[in-house]
Every structure is written in structure tokens, then in C-alpha cells.
Amino acid sequence: MSNQPILQVQEVTKAFGGVIAVNGVTFDIFEKEILGIIGPNGSGKTTLINCVTGFINVTSGKVLFRGKNITGRPAHKIADMGITRTFQIMRPYYSLPCYKNLVIPLFSPRAKRTGGWRGGGKLGDRDTVGIDILEEIGFERDSFVPYKIASTLPTGYLKRLELARCLALKPEIIICDEIFSGLSMSEIASMVPLIERLQMDGITLIMIEHRLRELFRVSNRILVLNFGEKVIEGTPEEVMADEKVKEVYFGSEKAEEVMSHA
Amino acid sequence: MNIEQRRKERLDRGIKVRTDGLYALMSWRELSYLTLPRLVLIVGMLTLPFIMPSMYWQRVISIVCIYALLAMSFDFLAHFVGLVSLGGALFIGVGGYLAAIMNTYFGMPPLLTIPIATVVGAGICTLFLLPCLPLRGVYFAIVSLMYPLALARVIEALDILGGTDGIMGIESFGNRWVEQYFVILMVLLFLFGARRLVNLDIGLVFRAVKDNDQAVRASGMSITFYKAVAVFIASAMGCMGGASLVHIYMWSGISLLALDFSILPIAATVIGGAGTLVGPVLGCLILVPISELLRAFGTLRIVFYSLILVAFIVFRSEGIMVYGQRKYHQFERWVKI
Ligand SMILES: Nc1ncnc2c1ncn2[C@@H]1O[C@H](COP(=O)(O)OP(=O)(O)OP(=O)(O)O)[C@@H](O)[C@H]1O
Ligand SMILES: [Mg+2]
């Protein structure tokens, strides 16, 4: 791990009119790290990554990628640099077969430069590269699954397809917005090794999750948000032991209430 | 036979044939099944000038082709890129005036003015429309509708480019056969070109821009850029039509910026079948001659367009071509139960 963080988020604030969705959040992430972001519903997690990836403009604050200021750049430029994301509400191309879903990201300038996930700088036939990526990510090549229309697939495959869309760009950072939600325990269990493999491949990951148990298992560090502010940042053990986090998740009054009922 | 004892059975003709080109080479029947519709279209278009009863109707064929270019351009933008364009008049006007200027002021022949007007005109139209490309929603439609209206008033008020009289004395194609076959070939060229384009990988990107623009941005591609490319292609079709039109009429005036050029192609697309690219051509082949027959009624013709349009939207919203394709690829028969 180099000393310079791959991504630095400095005092990022986003206000929607009167609502301050993200309030002065600062964190760094180093290469090949997995950073988990947790927080109750509406605590500003999605808004924060929308700010980082350029999908919305920050109200104030800075985002640095390898020391370079990328605040305010358009979303497609940021993706072109290698910072990709999945969407909390999945956005596959529903009317297309799965492998054709990947033809679109493979058409991008970045894919042309890098050749796709495993590509060595030269992009082959997009259909073939697309099927290769799908196979690596758990679509059985010899089955019909890669050729099926996306709208007919179960959630588990669609979540993988979201990841595959990022991988087609050969990204440096993938930001996953609730990639485990809506999946069964067994689907999550098969997804965890995939995440670990991406990390081994040298990809830096930011994972927003509500499924704390699995997240704590894969993450190197955890960031907790509440009402748009950073509550604590630390290793999974530190975060789990923290009093403030318990308060955030159960609420001090509610905790007392629960106690009195007990 | 009692009606209740039979039902209509629908069978899909050669799914294999359509899903994989290789199978088509296996038998003549399947090969002709695939090529027949194209052949009918090409041969039909090419024989049109011969079967027209008079020179007047031959001229109508040329006009049909101009409208067909506009209708394809509308269908391409609306169905494959998700931009609803009311800019037919803008494309015709820009292409037409450019060709007129090059021909009368600089003495360039149609052989030069038409290609230059197509490319330069498409560039100008794209620049005009660029500001509203990043926006979603109805802005594109509104802006593309406003430009021709505004340009007509500007030409009128400043009395430039011939003012209300227009530019006269533009060189003709020289020969009416050359004229007709030129526009017919252009329609066929752009039709097959556009159909090819939408099936390429870039065609998938265009459709993705329409259906799922956020995912396209997340894939590192600028939506504005791809919209601009599509608008360039579509306006090239329109400008090509406009440039041909001024050489046909030997005159260029503010009626090139008239609303008909924006509205009729849309009606033709609805009638012919949106999203097929052939449908709009078919729609023009039906609508434009009818509109010529009704010339005596003057502006009342618009009532007629509206009636046809409403009738089609209510009874056959899929359009002739979509209906026809379905019938062609499936065949139906009555079976006893
Ligand atoms: N476009 C918007 N306009 C106005 N307010 C918004 C907008 N997007 C988000 N918000 C508000 O910002 C706050 C944070 O929302 P955000 O979606 O970032 O939360 P989250 O942590 O991702 O929640 P969840 O866990 O439910 O996904 C919420 O109060 C939300 O109502
Ligand atoms: Mg969220």
C-alpha cells in the first residue's frame, strides 16, 4: 500500500434546499482497501457517493483522486478515470440480453484504452469480451443465462450484472450501493468471495450496506454516517464496540424503551 | 362450420432464420423469405417514376422522398435515441438555404451544393440544438420547433437571403429522371444505412441513452456527445432533403421553414409504424399523395391529417409496418377444435 490515499473526500457537504443530506464528511481510502459505509435510512450514504462520482454537484468540499482535484467534474469523466459505481436501484438495460448489456460499457473510451476487465490494453470483439466478463462473475457460460433478456433474470444475477458493468471499464475503484440488499443468504454467501477476489485483483472498493454481518467480514474499515455526519471511522471491531454506533442504530430513547419492556 | 368449433392458430415462421444469418443460406425458400421484403421495397421504389401517369405525379414522387427523409430522421431520433424532434422545418430550411446560397452566389453545381449543404447544414443544426441536449424532457421538441419559426421571422425582418421573395434562379437537376432517381436512391441509402447503424454497437449505445442514461454516464460516456452525434445524423438526412428540394423547385424561400415539414413526417411515422424506419417511408408514400389530391382544400388539409392521425392512433397505434411485419413473420390458420 502506497502512502498516498487513492481517494480523499474532504469536508464534503451537500444541501438540498434546506435539507443538509451530507454535512462535512471527510475520509480517505487507500489502494486495495475495502471501506464499508453504514448508517440508518436517509443518513446520506447514497448522496455522499453521488457527490464523489459526480452524479450531483457538491455544495462545498473537495474530492481528490490520486491527489488530483476531481470535484465538480462530470460523471462520465470521473467514470473514465476509473471510479465506477453501482446503483442502489439497479439500472440494467432490461430489454437487452445480458451480454449485450456489457457491449455498452465496452463501447466507452476507457474500455477501448484498457481492453475490459482482464484485457491487456486491446479490446477484442465486444460480444465475446462481454461473455468472458459474465463468466468470470458467475454466469455459467454454457447455460442460457448470459443470453437471456435482462428483465427475465432474478435479482441475484442483476446485481452481478451491475458489478459487471463496472468491471467492463477495468476500474480502479468500485463503489457498491447496497449490492447485498434483496439477496438471499446463499446468494450473499456466493457474492462475498467475488468481492474478495476483486480486492485481490487490486480493485479498491467502497461498500454501502445494511447487512452488517457480511459487511464487517469483508471490510478493512467502516465509516458510520448519521444525519449526514460522520459518527466514527475505524476497524470493524472498533465500530462494533462503539457506544455511539449502538445509539445510532437503536436510538438512546428507543433502547431505554426496549429495556423497560423487557 | 360453427364458429366455436375452430380457433385461429398462430405459428411463427422460421424463428431460426431470423435469429441467425447462417441458417438463411441453407435453403432458397428461407433465403427468399428474408430477402423478399427488401427486394419488393427496392424494386418498388425504383419503378415508381415509370408508373406515374404524368410529370406532375412524378414531381410528387420527388416530394414524397423529401418527406421520407424527414420522417426517417424523426423516427431515428424518437425511437432509437429518445429525442422527439419537431425540427423537420429547421433541417429543410438550413439545408435548402445553404444549397441556394452556394448555387446562386458562388455558382456551385448541385453535385457540390447538395453534399456540402448536407454536412455543413447538419453541423449548423447540431450547433443550434446543442444547448438543449443535456436536458431531459420536452425541451428538445420545443427548441427544435422554435428555431424555424424564429429563422423565418429573422429573414423576413432583416430582408436578407431574398427576404419574403426568396432566392430565385437556382439551377435545376437538369433532367427529371436524374432528379427522381437521385432522391429515390438517397432514401434507400439512408434507410438501409440507418437500419444498419441502429444494429451496430453504437446503435445499442443510442438506445441506452434513450432508456437508461444514468447507466451510460456511469459507464464513462457523455450522453450529450452521443445525442449530438445522433442529431448530426438525423439533421444530415433533413438537410440533404432541403438541398434537393431547392434544386427541384429552383427556388428557396421562407416556406422551406413552414410547419408542414415538421408535422407531416410525424403523422407519416405514426401511420407507417414507429421504430421500423421503413414504416415512415411507407407513411409518406400514402400521406403525401393524398395531401396533393387535397391541395384544392388549402389549409383545411390539416383537418384531414388530424383525422387520419387520430384514427390511426385509436385503431392501429402500432402502424402499418409493425402490423405487416407481424403478419409476415407469423402465419395464421383456422384449426378445428
Ligand atoms: N434529490 C434529492 N432532493 C432532495 N432531498 C434529497 C434528494 N436525495 C436525497 N435527499 C434527502 O437526503 C437525505 C439522504 O438521502 P440518501 O438517499 O443519501 O440516504 P441513504 O443513506 O442512501 O438512505 P438509504 O439507506 O435508504 O438508501 C434524505 O433525507 C433524503 O430525503
Ligand atoms: Mg441509499
Side-chain angles (χ1 to χ4, degrees), chain B residues 318-330:
Chain B
E318 57 184 359
I320 296 171
M321 212 45 223
V322 181
Y323 177 78
Q325 279 176 347
R326 209 182 58 224
K327 289 288 168 192
Y328 185 72
H329 292 310
Q330 293 176 334

Side-chain angles (χ1 to χ4, degrees), chain A residues 131-149:
Chain A
I131 293 174
D132 287 346
I133 293 176
L134 285 179
E135 187 183 25
E136 294 227 26
I137 205 162
F139 284 61
E140 303 80 8
R141 176 189 285 269
D142 296 324
S143 71
F144 287 118
V145 187
Y147 306 96
K148 275 198 169 159
I149 303 290

Side-chain angles (χ1 to χ4, degrees), chain B residues 24 67 85 107 195 197-198 220 278 333:
Chain B
Y67 275 110
S85 157
R195 280 177 54 130
L197 182 77
V198 297
V278 192
R333 64 178 176 207

Side-chain angles (χ1 to χ4, degrees), chain B residues 56-83:
Chain B
Y56 172 75
W57 281 102
Q58 287 185 334
R59 175 56 54 83
V60 171
I61 291 302
S62 305
I63 308 303
V64 166
C65 290
I66 308 287
Y67 275 110
L69 286 169
L70 286 176
M72 281 192 290
S73 128
F74 172 82
D75 195 25
F76 170 68
L77 278 187
H79 193 269
F80 296 95
V81 196
L83 292 169

Side-chain angles (χ1 to χ4, degrees), chain A residues 16 19-22 39-48 88 177-178 208 210:
Chain A
F16 294 106
V19 183
I20 299 177
V22 176
N41 290 115
S43 55
K45 306 180 294 294
T46 300
T47 307
L48 176 63
Q88 181 169 359
D177 198 350
E178 301 198 12
I208 296 177
H210 284 301

Side-chain angles (χ1 to χ4, degrees), chain A residues 55 76 91-93 104 108 126, chain B residues 201 208 212 214 219-222:
Chain A
F55 275 79
H76 70 270
R91 296 180 194 273
Y93 306 103
I104 293 150
S108 66
R126 292 193 193 89
Chain B
D201 287 350
N212 197 346
Q214 297 300 312
S219 300
M221 284 178 284
S222 157

